[in-house]
Amino acid sequence: MRCTAIIPAAGIGTRFGGSLPKQFSEYESIPILIHTLKLFERIPEVNSVILAITPSWEEYTREMITVHGLEKVQKIIPGGKERQDSVFNSLNIIEPNEFDVIIIHDAVRPFVSSELVRKIINTAGETGAVIPALKPKETIKQFDDKGFIIKTLDRTVLCAVQTPQGFKSDVIISSYKKAMKENFYATDDAALVEYSGFPVKVIDGEETNIKITTQFDIHF
Ligand code: C5P
């Protein structure tokens, strides 16, 4: 099975504070993005990586890729305004039938395990679309714009979604084409697949697979 990993890394990280986009902040003296890329180097099932970044960060990123001896980054392409635009730009450079499975993983989730990535690839090959998720531990409520509760939701039917999300190549490419044509925007890739009417399988995510969003997350 041929698989590529798309890593959207073109965010500006406004919730993170500081002068650097969060994917370039360092953890153990290595940029978070490089930690994430190193992970895919170690997974034989991933044949190549496509990286979407802000063009002004390209030179530095290429330098880091060389310094850390990363061999799987096949293409570096410009990101877009939203994460979805960055992923769409990445999908656009893939030839039809070039890959069987495409996985999409946030640059700012460096702690995902190889086991979960492999499970996503294999399950995507079987079902067409798969996402990792965790059941909420807290009670979840819906609130209005004045800060008052509208209702308490049934948490047994809810889940908090992570990446990597995995798809058969034709499923994700056709779903993105339809969504972009119809100007349908969402906060994860699976939502576009759902919009196209394909079933999406959910498997267990990992508590350690955190998305680095604030300074607190990096200390944590
Ligand atoms: O902003 P958020 O935390 O949702 O970003 C998730 C991932 O998407 C990050 O790796 C970020 O760099 C990437 N992103 C992107 N292009 C954007 C916005 C976010 O590639 N325009």
Side-chain angles (χ1 to χ4, degrees):
M1 192 154 59
R2 296 156 306 159
C3 170
T4 195
I6 292 175
I7 313 291
I12 49 168
T14 46
R15 283 173 290 180
F16 194 63
S19 54
L20 292 178
K22 55 195 173 181
Q23 61 275 28
F24 293 105
S25 290
E26 293 188 354
Y27 165 71
E28 292 177 345
S29 306
I30 297 177
I32 289 168
L33 169 63
I34 300 299
H35 281 287
T36 304
L37 293 175
K38 279 181 154 204
L39 177 92
F40 291 100
E41 292 286 316
R42 296 194 296 267
I43 302 175
E45 288 86 345
V46 175
N47 302 113
S48 66
V49 170
I50 300 170
L51 189 58
I53 56 166
T54 307
S56 56
W57 283 93
E58 182 170 342
E59 198 183 324
Y60 173 73
T61 304
R62 285 193 185 279
E63 202 181 299
M64 284 291 117
I65 286 171
T66 306
V67 167
H68 292 279
L70 304 177
E71 292 177 346
K72 286 195 187 169
V73 181
Q74 194 184 41
K75 287 184 180 131
I76 299 182
I77 56 121
K81 189 165 174 282
E82 306 289 337
R83 181 189 182 280
Q84 188 168 320
D85 300 308
S86 299
V87 174
F88 188 53
N89 292 352
S90 309
L91 288 169
N92 275 338
I93 61 154
I94 295 175
E95 302 290 333
N97 304 321
E98 191 179 353
F99 298 103
D100 303 301
V101 164
I102 297 174
I103 61 170
I104 306 171
H105 185 62
D106 290 332
V108 288
R109 288 187 189 266
F111 305 120
V112 66
S113 73
S114 310
E115 289 70 34
L116 180 57
V117 176
R118 285 202 186 96
K119 205 167 173 192
I120 289 289
I121 295 170
N122 291 332
T123 313
E126 287 159 16
T127 66
V130 59
I131 59 174
L134 291 177
K135 290 183 182 143
K137 287 186 206 152
E138 287 92 357
T139 298
I140 310 279
K141 294 179 190 277
Q142 188 182 346
F143 64 101
D144 65 19
D145 55 5
K146 295 189 179 62
F148 285 90
I149 295 301
I150 299 169
K151 64 177 173 184
T152 300
L153 302 172
D154 176 7
R155 71 178 176 195
T156 62
V157 297
L158 296 172
C159 61
V161 169
Q162 304 181 337
T163 72
Q165 300 191 347
F167 310 94
K168 277 188 179 155
S169 178
D170 52 340
V171 168
I172 191 69
I173 291 172
S174 64
S175 299
Y176 255 84
K177 278 190 180 149
K178 177 177 163 64
M180 298 307 280
K181 194 170 154 210
E182 295 173 15
N183 204 27
F184 174 81
Y185 272 78
T187 50
D188 79 338
D189 308 294
L192 277 53
V193 172
E194 295 155 34
Y195 181 69
S196 272
F198 292 106
V200 178
K201 170 93 177 147
V202 185
I203 64 169
D204 286 338
E206 295 172 332
E207 287 197 30
T208 44
N209 182 17
I210 60 165
K211 179 174 169 192
I212 296 178
T213 306
T214 64
Q215 285 286 349
F216 172 80
D217 297 330
I218 209 163
H219 292 299
F220 177 74

